[in-house]
Amino acid sequence: METAKKNRQIANAYYNLGLAKAQHRDLCGAVKALKKSLRFDKYQTDARNLLGLIYHEVGEVGAAVAQWIISLNLQEQDNLAEEYLRKVHAGRGYLEVADQSAKKYNQALAYAQNENEDLAILLLMRVAAEMPNYVKAQELLALLFIHQENFTKAGRCLYQALKVDPYNPQALRYMTIVKQNTGKAEVERKKLKNAFSHRQMQDDDIILPPSYKENTGLQSVLNILAGLIMGAVVIFFLVMPASREALNSRHNEELLQKLEVINQKNIEIDSLHSQMESAEKAKEQAETSLASLLSDQGSTTGQYQKLVQILQAYRDGDLRTAALLYVELDLSVLNDGAVNDTVAWIQQDMEANGAQLLEQMGDEAFAQEGGAAQAAEYYQKSLLIQKDNPGALFKLGNAFQAQGNTEQANQYYGEVIMNYPDSEYAEQAKAQRGY
């Protein structure tokens, strides 16, 4: 009990450190601190949610969604992760762009590793155009430009990366290389040297003009009177006209500023009218993109959505829906390490109970009039989870036999006879085939 309390305290301390670093835009440092916080306490919801926000900030949307899914699974009530996920899914076409950008980045990385730099640069330039805040893509693109000695383009990429994460150590290291090769490092060094090169004047450094001589008392009085007269003349002929001119200039500047504001408002009004005219066309295109995204269940984003639906089915106690969704889940896509524990738990439960549950659903459908086709679908899904099941194979043959598909039925009866000759279903399969 004491150890758990101490771990929570350490986790909270690392979360506070990560929050402070995030507030100062040290995103890399914040990620390290937040990961340490979760290492000591995986239920530190605030740390996990903030980690997701930082991943989202640097363009790693898939990792952000994964963290929020885990957070929501660990704490269902009063969790900001639910709002974050809702906003991400509400962005029309956003998840599709993020998903495609991640795929392009991975492909570009593979090209770069196989010394195909030109293709890698083309892909990364598309990613940078679609998601300028994708820090990893900007860094990799800069590295490839550095390798090709195109330091100006590398500097532009690093400038974009450092706008998002100003203290990113890798981007700063690359920027040092760029400055050394463009001469900017030497310019900065000279500026710094000149700023501290001037000697301060000492108290005993007295500079006397060559014509210096001490004045007498009368001479001092005459000098004062001459100074007063000269001051009055300067005020009348120079200061007052200059003051009036300054007032007029300031008035003109204020007038110009007001006219500029009015002109800007007119431009904004014209722009709004133009946006309203194109809004309907954009709406149709966005709805088409959204429908495409939602129908693309094979994408990384689609698999994360299906994982969320499975977890919701578990929370609702709807194990049948969970089993039906599980057979459509592509576990190979969910391999970023962020949801491994959750996926492993679901996989273990489904391997123990999912096949039997789907087989039972097939039995219920087969018992209903006209339910043979539905029953066959359930039996097939049951076999996707547990292939070594002669009972489900035999029942699948019966379902096809009931539909009048004797050829398909005999195929499954044959599998039972050949692969499971000692099972109780082998004799029944032979009888069905007329042996």
Side-chain angles (χ1 to χ4, degrees):
M1 193 69 178
E2 187 65 27
T3 303
K5 181 179 179 182
K6 188 174 182 180
N7 285 343
R8 284 196 299 271
Q9 291 174 342
I10 296 173
N12 290 338
Y14 274 120
Y15 164 70
N16 291 331
L17 176 61
L19 179 61
K21 287 182 177 292
Q23 289 171 339
H24 288 85
R25 300 296 299 177
D26 183 4
L27 302 187
C28 280
V31 167
K32 291 180 181 178
L34 294 170
K35 284 184 175 179
K36 288 181 179 179
S37 174
L38 294 173
R39 191 179 304 161
F40 283 97
D41 182 11
K42 70 175 183 179
Y43 293 95
Q44 225 301 3
T45 304
D46 291 334
R48 196 176 295 280
N49 288 347
L50 180 56
L51 182 59
L53 287 173
I54 294 174
Y55 280 143
H56 185 270
E57 181 73 8
V58 299
E60 298 177 35
V61 181
V65 171
Q67 290 297 331
W68 292 331
I69 289 173
I70 297 172
S71 175
L72 193 60
N73 189 40
L74 295 176
Q75 180 186 322
E76 299 180 15
Q77 303 297 328
D78 301 324
N79 193 339
L80 288 173
E82 185 174 3
E83 179 67 15
Y84 299 153
L85 287 169
R86 187 187 64 78
K87 287 184 178 180
V88 167
H89 287 292
R92 293 183 175 180
Y94 175 70
L95 280 178
E96 182 180 13
V97 171
D99 183 48
Q100 292 302 319
S101 296
K103 290 180 179 178
K104 289 175 185 175
Y105 169 79
N106 291 331
Q107 184 61 56
L109 182 59
Y111 284 145
Q113 291 170 339
N114 289 294
E115 300 182 358
N116 198 343
E117 294 184 0
D118 292 337
L119 281 177
I121 288 174
L122 285 174
L123 274 178
L124 290 170
M125 288 179 69
R126 293 177 188 172
V127 174
E130 293 168 353
M131 294 190 69
N133 66 319
Y134 199 165
V135 173
K136 283 186 176 180
Q138 296 284 10
E139 288 176 343
L140 180 55
L141 183 56
L143 183 60
L144 293 173
F145 280 138
I146 289 172
H147 189 256
Q148 295 185 350
E149 298 186 356
N150 194 336
F151 298 105
T152 301
K153 289 185 177 181
R156 291 172 187 160
C157 298
L158 295 171
Y159 173 74
Q160 289 293 334
L162 290 171
K163 277 174 62 178
V164 180
D165 189 2
Y167 298 96
N168 187 293
Q170 189 160 296
L172 290 172
R173 185 162 59 252
Y174 293 162
M175 184 62 86
T176 301
I177 297 173
V178 169
K179 287 182 178 179
Q180 288 173 348
N181 286 275
T182 55
K184 292 188 177 181
E186 181 64 21
V187 172
E188 292 180 359
R189 188 187 67 77
K190 288 182 177 180
K191 286 182 179 180
L192 187 64
K193 180 180 178 181
N194 293 335
F196 295 97
S197 63
H198 300 291
R199 184 175 67 86
Q200 296 290 331
M201 182 176 286
Q202 305 297 321
D203 292 340
D204 55 354
D205 289 343
I206 300 174
I207 302 174
L208 295 176
S211 60
Y212 173 78
K213 64 178 181 179
E214 293 186 0
N215 291 326
T216 62
L218 179 61
Q219 186 67 36
S220 298
V221 172
L222 291 175
N223 288 340
I224 292 171
L225 290 174
L228 291 173
I229 294 171
M230 185 62 70
V233 172
V234 169
I235 290 173
F236 185 79
F237 287 103
L238 297 178
V239 176
M240 290 183 66
S243 177
R244 285 195 298 270
E245 185 177 352
L247 287 172
N248 291 334
S249 176
R250 187 160 60 248
H251 175 72
N252 290 336
E253 287 179 1
E254 291 176 355
L255 184 60
L256 286 173
Q257 289 175 357
K258 291 179 180 178
L259 290 174
E260 186 175 347
V261 170
I262 293 173
N263 185 49
Q264 186 64 34
K265 293 297 182 184
N266 289 333
I267 292 174
E268 290 177 1
I269 291 171
D270 293 339
S271 176
L272 287 173
H273 282 305
S274 177
Q275 291 175 16
M276 289 175 64
E277 291 175 359
S278 61
E280 288 301 322
K281 296 180 181 178
K283 178 184 175 183
E284 294 177 1
Q285 293 175 354
E287 288 176 348
T288 302
S289 299
L290 179 61
S292 175
L293 172 63
L294 293 177
S295 63
D296 184 13
Q297 295 300 312
S299 68
T300 303
T301 305
Q303 294 304 310
Y304 277 118
Q305 288 177 329
K306 198 172 296 298
L307 179 60
V308 173
Q309 293 171 353
I310 291 173
L311 292 173
Q312 184 61 49
Y314 269 107
R315 283 196 291 270
D316 296 340
D318 187 0
L319 300 183
R320 294 191 171 196
T321 298
L324 290 171
L325 290 169
Y326 175 77
V327 295
E328 299 174 1
L329 189 65
D330 185 358
L331 299 177
S332 65
V333 174
L334 308 175
N335 58 0
D336 59 4
V339 293
N340 282 359
D341 292 341
T342 303
V343 171
W345 174 79
I346 293 173
Q347 188 174 11
Q348 182 180 2
D349 182 66
M350 282 297 159
E351 288 178 355
N353 304 306
Q356 183 179 358
L357 183 60
L358 289 168
E359 185 179 349
Q360 180 183 345
M361 294 168 63
D363 294 342
E364 294 174 0
F366 193 69
Q368 297 177 3
E369 185 177 353
Q374 183 67 65
E377 182 180 345
Y378 288 144
Y379 291 139
Q380 287 174 323
K381 290 183 177 181
S382 173
L383 289 166
L384 289 175
I385 300 176
Q386 183 182 354
K387 296 180 180 179
D388 188 16
N389 187 349
L393 281 170
F394 176 72
K395 293 175 182 178
L396 181 56
N398 289 342
F400 279 111
Q401 185 71 42
Q403 298 177 68
N405 192 341
T406 304
E407 182 180 354
Q408 192 74 25
N410 287 338
Q411 177 184 337
Y412 289 110
Y413 291 147
E415 286 188 36
V416 174
I417 296 167
M418 294 294 295
N419 298 328
Y420 307 97
D422 298 329
S423 70
E424 60 179 300
Y425 297 100
E427 292 300 324
Q428 298 180 49
K430 289 179 181 179
Q432 290 288 355
R433 293 201 63 171
Y435 289 176

